[in-house]
Each structure stands twice: as C-alpha cells, then as structure tokens.
Amino acid sequence: MNALTERAEESRAAVLTVDDDPAVSRAVARDLRRRYGDRYRIVRAESASDGLDALRQMKLRGDLVAAILADYRMPELNGIEFLEQAMDIYPGARRVLLTAYADTGAAIDAINVVDLDHYLLKPWDPPEEKLYPVVDALLDAWLESDHRPVPETKVVGHRWSARSSEVREFLARNQVPYRWYASDEPEGQRLLAAAKTDGLALPVVITPDGDPLVEPSDAELAARVGLATTPSKDFYDLIVIGGGPAGLGAAVYGASEGLRTVLVEQLATGGQAGQSSRIENYLGFPDGVSGAQLTDRARRQATKFGAEVLTTREVTGLEVRGPARRVTFADGTFLDTQAIILATGVSYRRLGAPGLDELTGRGVYYGSALTEAAACAGQDVYVVGGANSAGQAAVYLSRFAKSVTLLVRGPSLEKSMSYYLIKQIADIPNIAVRTCTAVTEASGEDHLERLTLRDTGRDTTETVDAQLLFLFIGAAPLTDWLDGVVVRDARGFVVTGPDLSPGGERPRGWPLDRMPYYLETSVPGVFVAGDARAESAKRVASAVGEGAMAVMLVHRYLEKP
Ligand SMILES: Cc1cc2nc3c(=O)[nH]c(=O)nc-3n(C[C@H](O)[C@H](O)[C@H](O)COP(=O)(O)OP(=O)(O)OC[C@H]3O[C@@H](n4cnc5c(N)ncnc54)[C@H](O)[C@@H]3O)c2cc1C
C-alpha cells in the first residue's frame, strides 16, 4: 500500500485524504491530524489508485472509514470519479470534494452524482473556520450512523454452495468466530470487489488481517485462523488419533500425567459430540451442555496440561518400527511415538437415494444442524433418523423452523431414541413424526427443492416441497486405513483385549508373552477408545472414560511393554 498511514492505531476509524499534489496532501493531513489525530487514523494517498487500494485493504481488514476527502483535479480519475468508486467500497463514509474556486460548478453537479456530503474550497485557511466545522459535522453524522466494526474472519459465500457450507461448518466447529456475508447481497459484493475476485469461486474467506483466501482448503484455513497444524516435536510418548470425546479425554489424562502427548484431528475437535446441540445425559451437567461448549472446555483443558492439539491432519497409516510406532499423515509426513490411542470414532453413513449426493451441502446436510439453523427460519424442514442425534436436531431446529418433520424408517421411536427426547418431541407443536417413512429421491435445480417420500406401511409415495433436509442415519467407523494392521470386526470396528482371544488363546501374530490389555488392539502399544472400538457404548461418557482408561493402560505398557 502506497498510502501513507500517519497514525498506526488499527482500532481507530480512518479519515482518508487523496490529493496528487504532495504539498497539498501533506497540508490537509497535517490539519486533520492536528484536530482529529487522537480519535481518528489519518490516512494519506497521493493518487486515486493508491487511495482506492488503501480503501480495499482497509475493507478486507474490517477497518472503519469515517470520511474521505478527495481533490477534484487528479490525473487518473478526477475526485468525483474517485469518490464514486470509493462509495462502492465504503458506502457509509462521508464524502468531501476539495476544489478550486473555478471548479465549483463541477462540485455542485457531484452532489447529485456521488451523493457528495460537502465540497471545500482550497485553500481552507484558517482551518478552524473553513475546514473543521465541516469535518466536525460530517464525523458527528457518521458516528450516529451504523458503523459496527467487523475485525473478525469474514466468509463471503453463497447459501447453496456446498464448499461455503463446509467452510462455515469447519470454522464453527473449531470455534473460530466469523461473520457470514451472502455473495448476492450488497456488502458481500463490496467485499468481493475489494478482494478483486469475481465471485465465481466461492467462498472467499477474509482473514482478520485482511487477506482474502479464495476457496481455501481446510488446512490453509486452519493455518490462517490460528489453529495449530504442525507438531513441535519429532517423537512423542503418546499420539492420540481423533479429537472427539475419547481423544480429548485421552489427551487430558495423558498430558496431565506427564506423557508428551499430541492429539491429531482430521477436521475439528469435538467429533460427533461437537455437533450435538444439547447433551443432556453427560455427568455433571444437569441442565445439559452443547457439544461446542464441552469441546471448547476439553480442548482448553488438554492444552493447559501441555497436550498439543493439531487440526486438519488426517492419519492414513500406522506402522510398527521396533519399539516405536509411526503414524503417517495424508500429506506423506510422519510422526513417531511410543504408544498410540486410536479414537477415530464413527462418521455419518450416507443415504443412497438418487439426488442426495449431488445436493449435499445445497440443502442436504449430514449432521451440521447447528450451522444451518439460521437458514431454517420460517421453513418446513425434514430430519431423517430415529436415534438421539436426529431427535436432538429436530428439537433444536424447531426453534427456528416453521415446521420440522422427523422421518423415521421404523414403526416407532421407542426402540431407538431416549425416553426424555421422545417426550420433548411430543410436547413441541411444530414437530411432526412420520414413522415407516423413507426418503427415496431428492431433486432440485441448484439446491434441494423436492423430496420423494415412501410410506413403507401403506406402500405409497408422495413428493413434498423441501429446501432443507438433515440426515442422521447411523454411523460407520472409517478404519479402512487400518486394514491389515490391526484386527477389525466385520463392520470395521477395532477389536481389543479379551475379544481378540475369545477362547483364551494368544491372538494370531501377537508377539508378547502377556495377553493384550483390555483396550489394546492386536498391535502392542496401540490402544483404542470410544466409538471406534468394537462393542463400545456409543456415548460421550463412555468415550471419555475409555480415553482415560486407555492412558492408564499406556502407562502400564510403557513400564513393561
Ligand atoms: C448429533 C449427535 C448427538 C449426540 N448426542 C449424544 C448425547 O446426548 N449423549 C451421549 O452420550 N452421546 C451422544 N452422541 C454420541 C456421542 O457423541 C459419541 O458416542 C461420541 O462422540 C464418541 O466419541 P469418540 O471420541 O469415540 O468419536 P467421535 O466423536 O466420532 O470423534 C472421532 C474423531 O476422530 C476424527 N478422525 C477420524 N478418523 C481420523 C483420522 N484418520 N485422522 C485424524 N482424525 C480422525 C474425526 O474427525 C472425529 O473428530 C451424539 C452423537 C451425535 C452425532
């Protein structure tokens, strides 16, 4: 930026002055600074293009601009043309044209063209009489207008862009505050113009320091919004893979008990629990706790004890190297450790009905009820699933939506959902439950518009208008990358301890004299906790408990492998 920033305090609103004559430019800035320098940042530019660049950068950073003073006679763009373009970037800033007496006609015309607030004749001596009264009045008017600062991360995207929705979900789940701007609304368009992008590639994420990132990857985003992505050491006592309740529990206990611990998470800490709007059955929270709150506390607790928490790092390989264990990341890098706790949980199963894949992120969402809640305002929303996760989502969304229809395949909720939730749902007037119902097709142009529902009891189908569908239809462990490394059951869950040797015999390939510990896999020193474990309870409390217990077994393993 060539504009000369004369006061560097970032938090103050700016007053920009543009004049191609350096002496005049300096004089205006000097006079402005003398009177307003303690309250405003005076920014000076010596050409229209530098002035526009300065405004664009300030826009991206979320800075406020209170007033813009531009000289009329400038070579590239005259002052009126400049103010016209400046208005596209900062429509709320007050606009002043500096003119010579001969140009007053042009200045008067400009009052209509660019909605000029004032013109000032040069020279403006003495400023107490000719400059300050005008600028005082303009700044007072500006202060009375809506000019809330937005210094945080901004996301400009489209409601029906799948990647825009993923990015919002990613930021929300990592507890990064952001402000959302629709790309087809005026402020979104101003931000896209300031970022010099055409809006065809969305979303554009603008970091708090003003850098625009076009369609950033999760890893790029993580690094730019201050999430740790790289380990600080080459070797750890314990690597925890997965940042859900089991992994966070293991990280808290591992680090607090003196193990050099790193937790690696492929997306965002919290896992499934992080997506829950309200967990009501976790010990110690009689009024319930949101998954986001629980995750935030757990992550802070883990880091307080010295655990490193890395996000956007997917583990794709596990290898035994003598006494060490090595995990390989998706980008080919690796990390060595003495022991590993697998806490990779489960992921939502996909529903195979035609149209759903194409519309995922465009009205069809797996989980993610929290981030999309605002979009449900006044809408008829459909939720698929008969378990607690679907029930919680229906309850939560009913606060925003006109109606919520819970679509359940089975004949009732009793078998699959907790009694307290069934009762809550029955008491909420805008939730309807349709049992024996399956989604057989989804359709729409660029977003979900219609669903075909099949009543399996009556064997009838019906097409309904629908813009939002949330699916919570059970989950599968994503453990294919462990194939041939540790023993898994037919559904991919990792088998541990006594289950590895049901007849009491030593598991095949097991190299030690002792039998595997309770949460130990078929590879010594590699443990599993939480939902990824075969026969696990699939509850937050049990996942946390297993994380803690696995650490106890890690200690035992380290003392005597
Ligand atoms: C919406 C919802 C509501 C729920 N409500 C309740 C409730 O009220 N009460 C209750 O007790 N339970 C509830 N549950 C269930 C509970 O959340 C789970 O049992 C619990 O989260 C399991 O924890 P976990 O750590 O084993 O696995 P997960 O929570 O599944 O976490 C696993 C983590 O590992 C990461 N990961 C996976 N593979 C890799 C890899 N290769 N590399 C790096 N990271 C990886 C994933 O991204 C994920 O973050 C709910 C679940 C959902 C989805």
Side-chain angles (χ1 to χ4, degrees), residues 246 341 519 528-531 533 535-537 541-551:
I341 296 177
L519 298 178
V528 60
D531 283 12
R533 188 176 65 80
E535 306 302 328
S536 55
S542 51
V544 173
E546 288 187 14
M549 182 175 174
V551 169

Side-chain angles (χ1 to χ4, degrees), residues 1-10 12-19 25-26 28-30 32-33 36-37 40-47 50-58 61 63-70 82:
M1 161 166 146
N2 292 324
L4 308 176
T5 305
E6 307 220 338
R7 299 282 308 209
E9 286 92 344
E10 295 296 318
R12 293 175 186 191
V15 173
L16 174 78
T17 135
V18 189
D19 200 310
S25 167
R26 271 197 295 273
V28 183
R30 182 202 58 219
L32 288 172
R33 203 176 58 193
Y36 305 105
Y40 292 89
R41 195 156 56 94
I42 310 302
V43 179
R44 180 165 75 86
E46 290 182 5
S47 71
D50 280 359
L52 289 171
D53 273 351
L55 287 174
R56 284 190 199 103
Q57 289 192 26
M58 288 192 278
R61 281 206 305 263
D63 294 353
L64 299 174
V65 175
I68 303 168
L69 286 75
F82 170 82

Side-chain angles (χ1 to χ4, degrees), residues 242 245-246 265-266 271-272 281 315 344-345 348 392 531 538-540:
E265 163 57 49
Q266 63 186 359
Q272 300 164 70
N281 55 2
V315 174
T344 50
Y348 288 112
Q392 283 178 7
D531 283 12
K538 314 286 185 292
R539 290 283 183 274
V540 177

